[in-house]
Amino acid sequence: MINLKLKTIASLINKSDHVIDVACDHAYLAIYLKKNKLCQSVIASDISAQALNGAEKNIKEANLDIPTFLSDGFTNIPDKSLDTAIIAGVGTYTILDIVKSAPNNIKKFIISSNNNYAYLREKMANLGFYCDKEIVIKEHNKFYPIMVFIKSNKKDNKFKLKYGKSNNPEYFNYLIQKEKDIINKLDKISISKIKHYMEIHNLKKCLKGKKQDY
Ligand SMILES: C[S@@+](CC[C@H](N)C(=O)[O-])C[C@H]1O[C@@H](n2cnc3c(N)ncnc32)[C@H](O)[C@@H]1O
């Protein structure tokens, strides 16, 4: 049941970690972590009652004991012994809201956003989190950057904030192609802009000798 993205996230968890999987949905990742004894403890939460019901059913079927919480981010999480939070499969704005509501004891975030990676890296840096590691995987023809943020004053340069620090050459070739596409589009826009400036210039020339005839 566990996909490559969730397996990769699991590979970034240490045995000593006390983990919360925020936005757990089916709780596949929490179940995988618990079953394989990959961390010290794990709890799972989700904002959706329907998702959490499914998670609880899966946990029961796996015969495991994983506490679950119906919670928007950390708002309803009582456990203070946590030190690691996984937030995956939601957008950057939601992730940043969740991170801002996290208690101080969370020292490590493992994040896989659906969008706006550069913005996410920059805002996490502003919140005092340094991207210690980034792995980019490709699944169903889509790239998924998975980032490990730790509490630190260390700062990455602008280039790393924009493009990340994975060592996946396929991903970087994809980014280069994206930049080339933008340049091609910009060229077209510039040519069309010049055309319009010429039109205005011609119109103004036409206008000069014209007398109002009404
Ligand atoms: C696509 S699933 C992601 C499941 C899993 N984490 C993954 O990456 O495969 C997104 C889940 O995020 C939950 N979610 C969205 N906003 C949330 C929030 N503010 N707090 C907690 N869960 C949230 C949704 O209810 C949904 O179950």
Side-chain angles (χ1 to χ4, degrees):
M1 279 295 190
I2 192 160
N3 60 25
L4 177 63
K5 184 185 81 177
L6 297 183
K7 240 184 195 167
T8 307
I9 293 172
S11 76
L12 296 164
I13 296 286
N14 296 324
K15 283 231 162 164
S16 57
D17 290 344
H18 292 275
V19 181
I20 175 168
D21 183 9
V22 185
C24 68
D25 202 359
H26 305 278
Y28 292 146
L29 181 54
I31 290 170
Y32 182 79
L33 290 173
K34 183 86 178 181
K35 216 183 220 168
N36 295 290
K37 299 184 172 64
L38 297 177
C39 58
Q40 198 68 25
S41 68
V42 59
I43 67 172
S45 70
D46 202 285
I47 198 172
S48 148
Q50 199 187 345
L52 208 68
N53 284 341
E56 283 163 357
K57 192 168 154 268
N58 292 335
I59 291 167
K60 204 171 168 196
E61 271 172 22
N63 213 13
L64 293 169
D65 180 21
I66 300 173
T68 58
F69 299 89
L70 185 63
S71 177
D72 177 354
F74 282 89
T75 49
N76 201 25
I77 307 296
D79 197 332
K80 296 279 177 279
S81 61
L82 301 163
D83 53 35
T84 302
I86 297 164
I87 316 170
V90 287
T92 281
Y93 292 118
T94 303
I95 288 170
L96 290 170
D97 283 344
I98 294 173
V99 169
K100 283 176 200 160
S101 77
N104 270 340
N105 40 299
I106 304 290
K107 303 276 185 282
K108 179 167 76 175
F109 285 95
I110 301 178
I111 292 179
S112 175
S113 174
N114 291 340
N115 53 30
N116 293 337
Y117 309 121
Y119 185 78
L120 173 66
R121 292 186 198 98
E122 196 188 314
K123 294 292 164 190
M124 285 300 283
N126 293 346
L127 291 169
F129 287 96
Y130 173 73
C131 184
D132 194 41
K133 189 170 187 175
E134 184 167 333
I135 298 176
V136 176
I137 57 128
K138 194 177 181 188
E139 203 166 35
H140 310 304
N141 226 20
K142 189 176 175 338
F143 290 103
Y144 294 93
I146 297 162
M147 305 166 194
V148 180
F149 289 96
I150 53 164
K151 248 182 195 166
S152 166
N153 291 329
K154 263 165 74 176
K155 291 250 186 274
D156 273 322
N157 61 31
K158 273 189 178 174
F159 185 83
K160 279 186 180 159
L161 286 176
K162 185 164 183 196
Y163 297 108
K165 48 170 63 167
S166 88
N167 45 15
N168 181 333
E170 197 189 350
Y171 181 59
F172 276 96
N173 279 324
Y174 158 80
L175 291 177
I176 288 166
Q177 190 52 51
K178 256 177 82 170
E179 290 298 334
K180 281 184 181 167
D181 291 348
I182 291 170
I183 288 169
N184 287 340
K185 268 191 198 154
L186 276 179
D187 279 344
K188 274 179 207 149
I189 289 168
S190 306
I191 288 165
S192 108
K193 264 187 186 167
I194 289 166
K195 270 187 194 162
H196 284 286
Y197 282 130
M198 281 167 74
E199 298 288 355
I200 292 168
H201 179 70
N202 288 336
L203 280 167
K204 279 186 176 169
K205 259 172 63 180
C206 279
L207 203 62
K208 257 191 175 170
K210 291 248 186 268
K211 283 200 178 120
Q212 218 168 336
D213 55 0
Y214 54 88

